[in-house]
């Protein structure tokens, strides 16, 4: 059984941002996580639930300098 595919609007709702911002965040996440791939149907970007979770994790881990500054190293 395959995972259901969700449009980019679902990602935007999860990130609490506009679809345009979600598009930029998706590109940021794809740069941070080279293994992350999305399905394209024409101009529509579709994501499965595990892919949405990977995007959110990639955005959480985006900056290591902030965590290093907080730890005092």
């Amino acid at each position: 059984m395959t995972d259901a595919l969700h449009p980019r609007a679902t990602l935007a709702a999860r990130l609490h941002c506009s679809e345009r911002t979600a598009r930029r965040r998706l590109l940021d996440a794809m740069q941070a996580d080279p293994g992350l791939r999305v399905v394209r149907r024409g101009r529509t970007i579709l994501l499965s639930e595990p892919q949405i979770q990977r995007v959110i994790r990639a955005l959480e881990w985006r900056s290591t300098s902030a965590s290093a500054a907080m730890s005092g190293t």
Side-chain angles (χ1 to χ4, degrees), residues 11 14-15 25-26 28-38 47-62:
L11 178 63
R14 294 268 183 93
L15 295 175
R25 297 296 172 248
L26 177 60
D28 291 344
M30 289 175 79
Q31 287 180 344
D33 184 356
L36 179 62
R37 299 284 182 252
V38 296
L47 301 122
S48 66
E49 188 62 34
Q51 289 171 323
I52 291 173
Q53 294 302 319
R54 282 180 76 170
V55 168
I56 292 169
R57 269 187 266 132
L59 294 174
E60 288 173 352
W61 299 337
R62 196 165 78 187

Side-chain angles (χ1 to χ4, degrees), residues 17-28:
C17 64
S18 69
E19 284 192 52
R20 188 174 187 177
T21 302
R23 181 175 151 254
R24 288 194 308 262
R25 297 296 172 248
L26 177 60
L27 292 174
D28 291 344

